[in-house]
Amino acid sequence: MLGSKVILFTLIALLSAVIASPFILMILSSFKTMAEIQAPVFKILPQSFSFNNYLEAMQQGNWARYFANSLSITVITVSLGLMTMSLAGYAFARMNFKGRDVLFFFSLLGLMIPEQVILVPVFLKIKEFPLFGGNDIWGVGGIGFLNSYLGLIIPQIAHPFGVFLFRQFFMQFPKALDEAAKIDGSSRLRTFLMIYIPACLPVFATVALLKSISSWNQYTWPLVITNADNMRTVQLALSIFKTEYAVQWNYILPATTLIALPVLLLFFFLQKYYVQGIVTSGVKG
């Protein structure tokens, strides 16, 4: 028994080292000079640890604005996403209505469709949104939600995987819980707010973590609908270190390290709830 635990621990440690090695190399290389990075002989450790790369990288471009854009978009997207996905999951799990299973089936189809397939249709809908960005009531004449926070946020609010996780979690509760709440005179909304939400913190933390990572790392959609510097997110801002002829690795690496730091910290604090939410959401289907 002890030998099997040692073998398992060793395998987990080796796998963790393989997974973590790119991040460790990125962090160590972020302290290197350009000459060290381009040296023919690769060395893991830099000759000297200096934060000059970080200071110089943050001086190129308006990084305070870029981080503020990504942070505000992520916070709003996650907040609205948790509200809409939890309500949808609750309805699919705890309410009986005509066409419920059909609607849930169609919502799961979103998991099978790559983002690139619907990129153009969603772009056209955002551009032709009526009465916004100079558009008339028919969605003609302006730019709609292009180059706007609403355009960056609206398409990312809900995701079928989040709805699925919430539904699976809500289905674990016995029907007697709803019946008892109804006898006490509680409405559906009050039952959801006062009973289910406090009992569902693990799945809320799980969906919040997944949604935060997805929104923070979003690259394709902001690239498509924005072209103004003041609307750049941190992922798009990395392009300022790349020209047609060269890549400033001594600036990209520290900038990437700073961009990855919020996500790593968020995962560190929510990992317990994340594991619990994933496990319990798959218990009953």
Side-chain angles (χ1 to χ4, degrees):
M1 181 64 71
L2 181 61
S4 60
K5 288 185 177 180
V6 171
I7 294 175
L8 180 61
F9 179 81
T10 303
L11 290 176
I12 293 175
L14 290 174
L15 181 61
S16 300
V18 171
I19 295 174
S21 58
F23 298 98
I24 296 173
L25 288 176
M26 177 185 71
I27 294 172
L28 293 175
S29 298
S30 68
F31 295 98
K32 295 179 179 179
T33 63
M34 194 64 172
E36 290 181 81
I37 295 174
Q38 295 179 334
V41 179
F42 176 77
K43 295 182 179 180
I44 296 179
L45 296 177
Q47 292 181 357
S48 62
F49 286 86
S50 174
F51 286 93
N52 289 336
N53 286 348
Y54 286 86
L55 297 176
E56 294 173 5
M58 292 299 102
Q59 291 173 359
Q60 298 193 33
N62 191 358
W63 278 93
R65 181 60 182 267
Y66 305 151
F67 273 99
N69 286 343
S70 290
L71 181 61
S72 58
I73 291 169
T74 299
V75 170
I76 296 173
T77 300
V78 171
S79 301
L80 295 177
L82 288 176
M83 180 177 65
T84 56
M85 289 184 289
S86 62
L87 286 171
Y90 175 78
F92 284 132
R94 312 302 299 180
M95 298 175 63
N96 292 319
F97 54 89
K98 188 176 181 179
R100 182 189 66 175
D101 294 337
V102 175
L103 287 175
F104 182 65
F105 170 77
F106 278 108
S107 71
L108 291 183
L109 287 179
L111 294 173
M112 310 173 194
I113 302 175
E115 178 184 345
Q116 292 77 10
V117 175
I118 62 174
L119 188 63
V120 173
V122 174
F123 172 83
L124 294 177
K125 290 295 182 182
I126 291 296
K127 181 181 182 297
E128 298 170 359
F129 204 92
L131 304 179
F132 283 91
N135 284 341
D136 57 22
I137 194 172
W138 308 110
V140 179
I143 62 173
F145 287 141
L146 300 185
N147 267 327
S148 70
Y149 290 109
L150 287 175
L152 290 167
I153 292 170
I154 291 176
Q156 300 185 55
I157 290 176
H159 194 276
F161 185 65
V163 176
F164 172 78
L165 284 181
F166 275 113
R167 174 186 178 271
Q168 296 301 101
F169 199 93
F170 287 132
M171 287 183 68
Q172 298 178 77
F173 297 93
K175 293 183 179 180
L177 186 61
D178 292 325
E179 296 172 356
K182 187 176 181 180
I183 293 174
D184 289 338
S186 178
S187 64
R188 283 284 188 182
L189 182 59
R190 185 179 179 184
T191 301
F192 173 74
L193 294 176
M194 304 302 294
I195 298 178
Y196 283 99
I197 287 184
C200 297
L201 292 182
V203 71
F204 270 92
T206 300
V207 176
L209 178 60
L210 294 175
K211 198 65 184 170
S212 298
I213 294 174
S214 174
S215 180
W216 184 265
N217 291 333
Q218 187 63 242
Y219 177 81
T220 304
W221 181 244
L223 179 65
V224 169
I225 73 162
T226 63
N227 55 26
D229 182 71
N230 63 345
M231 292 302 302
R232 279 183 175 179
T233 60
V234 289
Q235 304 298 336
L236 294 183
L238 290 174
S239 62
I240 66 177
F241 302 125
K242 181 180 179 181
T243 66
E244 184 179 356
Y245 304 101
V247 177
Q248 296 174 299
W249 292 109
N250 56 324
Y251 295 152
I252 285 184
L253 291 172
T256 305
T257 301
L258 292 177
I259 291 172
L261 187 60
V263 174
L264 294 175
L265 290 176
L266 185 64
F267 180 78
F268 176 79
F269 288 109
L270 296 181
Q271 60 177 328
K272 179 178 68 175
Y273 301 102
Y274 173 77
V275 174
Q276 185 179 354
I278 289 293
V279 171
T280 54
S281 295
V283 171
K284 184 177 180 180

